[in-house]
Amino acid sequence: MQETEEARRHREKKARIKAVKDRLYAARTGRKGLLLVHTGRGKGKTTAAFGLVLRTLGHGRRVGIVQFVKGRRETGERRFLERFPDLVEIRVMGEGFTWETQDRERDVRAARAALDEARRMLAAPDFHLVVLDELNIVLRYGYLPVEEVLAVLAARRPDLHVVVTGRNAPPALIEAADLVTEMTEIKHPFRAGIGAQAGIEY
Amino acid sequence: MQETEEARRHREKKARIKAVKDRLYAARTGRKGLLLVHTGRGKGKTTAAFGLVLRTLGHGRRVGIVQFVKGRRETGERRFLERFPDLVEIRVMGEGFTWETQDRERDVRAARAALDEARRMLAAPDFHLVVLDELNIVLRYGYLPVEEVLAVLAARRPDLHVVVTGRNAPPALIEAADLVTEMTEIKHPFRAGIGAQAGIEY
C-alpha cells in the first residue's frame, strides 16, 4: 500500500521527536532521593502525593506518611492504605492541630510531635517514599520554624524520596526542592453550589 | 491559667474562620457526578487521578480506567491496581497509540477503540469514578473530534464522576468541566540531570 504524503510527514515528524526524546532520556541517568513539593491553591496536592504512594506500592516498596493536619472526616485513601500495614506506615497527628481548633499551644505541640515522626521516618532504612502531608500549612501558621524543617529534610537518607504538600510553600522550601508543582484552580464546583462528595473531596 | 493576649487573638481569629467555613459547607449540599480535568505542563495530572482512585477504593466503590496513551514502561500504579480486579477495571490501549509509534492511522484506530471502552464504562451502572487518562493528548493530536468526546461525556450516567487528564485540554472541554486544575511546573529535576526513577516517574 502506498503511503500518503500526509502519513509520511506525520511519521517523519514523530520519528524526529522520538530521536530527541531518546537522546534526552539517555543523558538523564542521575539517581538520588528527590524532594518534591506540591503547592498552590488548586486541588490535587495531597491527591497527587497519594498517587505517588500507589505507584510506590506497585513497585513493592514501603511508604511512610505523616499527616500534619487532620481533616474533617475519615478519608477514603487512609482507610484503603490501612489495609497494607506491612507496606504503609501512616501517622495522623489528629489529636492536636486541626482546621477546627482554636488553641495555638496545642497545635504547636501537635506539629512538633508530627515533625518528630517525620524525622524518624526520614532516617529509617526501609522507606522508599515519605509523604509529609500539609506540612506547608503548619509552616504557614508559624507552628514550626522553616529552618528546622529544612534541616530535618536535608538530613534524610540520601536515596529517600519525600513529598511535601500544602498551599503557600515557603520560598526557602521551594529553593531546597528538586521538583515543585503548583496546582492552580481554574474552575471549582463549590462555586456552583456542589458540596463535598465521597471519592472526590474525601 | 490566664490566656495571653496573643492566644486570645489567635483563638478568636480561628473561630471566625471556622464560622465562615461552617456556613460555606452547610450551603453546599448539591450532589452530581463531576467532570474533572487535570491539565497543564507540570507533573501530577495522572498521579492525582490515581490518588482519586485510591480514595474511591477506600470507600469501597468501583473504578474504571482507560489509558489512551501507553507509556514507555509498566507503571507501579497499574501493577498495584491489577491486584483488585473486583474493584478496578483498567484498559490500556497499548496496541496502538504510544509515544513511540509513527503510524497515524494505527493511532487513530487505537484512540477510537479507547473511546468505545470509555463510552461503555460511562454508561455502566456500577462505577463511582472513571478515569480517562491522557485523553487530552489524543484530542490535541486530532485523533478524535472534540465534539464527539464531549457528547460521550455528556451522555454519561448522571451520578458518575469522570477525570480527564493530559496537557493542552481543549477550551471546549474546560468549558464543559465542573472542576479544572492546572498543574504548573515550577522546578523539574530533569534540568539537573536526574533520570526517571521508580515510584516517582513510573
Side-chain angles (χ1 to χ4, degrees):
Chain A
M1 194 174 77
Q2 184 91 34
E3 187 181 46
T4 66
E5 175 67 8
E6 189 198 18
R8 187 186 59 74
R9 276 205 311 273
H10 178 79
R11 181 174 53 77
E12 288 179 359
K13 183 179 167 199
K14 292 285 282 303
R16 283 195 301 275
I17 293 172
K18 175 163 158 45
V20 168
K21 284 195 173 172
D22 286 347
R23 274 202 304 280
L24 184 71
Y25 283 105
R28 305 299 192 227
T29 54
R31 288 286 179 276
K32 66 168 232 176
L34 299 178
L35 175 56
L36 285 69
V37 174
H38 297 171
T39 193
R41 295 177 62 85
K43 299 197 53 100
K45 300 182 289 292
T46 292
T47 324
F50 278 94
L52 290 173
V53 168
L54 194 69
R55 187 167 283 177
T56 304
L57 295 180
H59 292 287
R61 315 272 187 105
R62 290 197 75 220
V63 176
I65 302 168
V66 180
Q67 293 199 298
F68 281 76
V69 176
K70 184 175 157 61
R72 288 171 175 252
R73 9 169 118 78
E74 186 58 30
T75 61
E77 60 269 35
R78 209 151 66 209
R79 200 185 302 169
F80 189 76
L81 292 175
E82 281 165 359
R83 292 163 54 182
F84 307 93
D86 292 349
L87 284 175
V88 184
E89 187 179 337
I90 184 162
R91 290 280 174 274
V92 184
M93 308 313 284
E95 295 308 307
F97 184 97
T98 78
W99 299 103
E100 306 280 303
T101 69
Q102 288 117 41
D103 180 343
R104 186 184 163 87
E105 289 298 312
R106 190 177 139 191
D107 289 351
V108 168
R109 278 198 305 276
R112 189 144 290 287
L115 186 63
D116 288 343
E117 288 290 337
R119 190 184 282 109
R120 181 184 57 75
M121 287 185 184
L122 295 178
D126 55 347
F127 292 115
H128 185 73
L129 172 74
V130 169
V131 178
L132 304 179
D133 189 44
E134 302 288 15
L135 170 56
N136 291 338
I137 304 287
V138 167
L139 293 172
R140 172 71 167 182
Y141 275 94
Y143 291 169
L144 293 171
V146 177
E147 304 69 32
E148 182 180 356
V149 168
L150 289 177
V152 168
L153 290 169
R156 76 183 185 276
R157 229 185 56 223
D159 58 333
L160 178 67
H161 302 302
V162 182
V163 189
V164 175
T165 78
R167 56 173 68 181
N168 297 120
L173 176 62
I174 289 176
E175 179 63 33
D178 297 292
L179 187 151
V180 181
T181 305
E182 185 178 350
M183 278 68 172
T184 309
E185 177 185 303
I186 307 286
K187 211 172 182 185
H188 196 292
F190 266 35
R191 302 229 177 98
I194 304 296
Q197 298 185 84
I200 302 294
E201 266 83 19
Y202 60 94
Chain B
M1 194 174 77
Q2 182 90 38
E3 188 181 44
T4 66
E5 173 67 11
E6 188 198 18
R8 186 186 60 74
R9 275 205 310 272
H10 178 80
R11 181 174 53 75
E12 288 179 358
K13 183 179 167 197
K14 292 286 282 300
R16 281 195 301 274
I17 293 173
K18 174 164 158 43
V20 169
K21 285 196 174 174
D22 285 347
R23 273 202 304 277
L24 183 71
Y25 284 106
R28 305 298 191 229
T29 55
R31 288 284 179 278
K32 67 169 230 176
L34 299 178
L35 175 57
L36 285 69
V37 174
H38 297 171
T39 191
R41 295 178 60 85
K43 297 195 56 95
K45 299 181 289 292
T46 292
T47 324
F50 278 95
L52 289 173
V53 169
L54 193 70
R55 187 167 284 177
T56 304
L57 295 180
H59 292 287
R61 316 272 187 104
R62 290 196 75 219
V63 177
I65 302 168
V66 180
Q67 294 199 296
F68 281 76
V69 176
K70 184 175 156 65
R72 289 170 174 254
R73 9 168 121 76
E74 187 58 31
T75 61
E77 59 270 34
R78 209 151 65 208
R79 199 186 303 171
F80 188 76
L81 292 175
E82 282 165 358
R83 291 163 56 181
F84 307 94
D86 291 349
L87 284 176
V88 184
E89 186 181 338
I90 183 162
R91 291 283 174 270
V92 185
M93 308 314 284
E95 294 307 308
F97 184 96
T98 76
W99 299 103
E100 305 280 303
T101 68
Q102 288 116 41
D103 180 343
R104 187 185 161 89
E105 288 299 312
R106 190 176 141 191
D107 289 353
V108 169
R109 279 198 304 275
R112 187 143 291 285
L115 186 63
D116 288 343
E117 288 290 337
R119 189 183 283 110
R120 182 183 58 76
M121 287 184 183
L122 295 178
D126 56 345
F127 292 114
H128 185 73
L129 172 74
V130 169
V131 178
L132 304 180
D133 188 43
E134 301 289 16
L135 171 56
N136 291 337
I137 304 289
V138 167
L139 293 172
R140 172 70 167 182
Y141 275 94
Y143 291 169
L144 293 172
V146 177
E147 303 70 31
E148 182 180 356
V149 169
L150 289 177
V152 168
L153 290 169
R156 75 184 187 275
R157 228 184 58 222
D159 58 334
L160 177 67
H161 302 302
V162 182
V163 190
V164 175
T165 77
R167 57 173 70 183
N168 298 120
L173 177 62
I174 289 176
E175 180 62 33
D178 298 293
L179 188 151
V180 181
T181 305
E182 185 179 350
M183 278 65 173
T184 309
E185 178 185 305
I186 306 285
K187 210 173 183 184
H188 195 292
F190 264 36
R191 303 229 176 98
I194 304 297
Q197 300 185 83
I200 302 296
E201 266 83 17
Y202 61 93

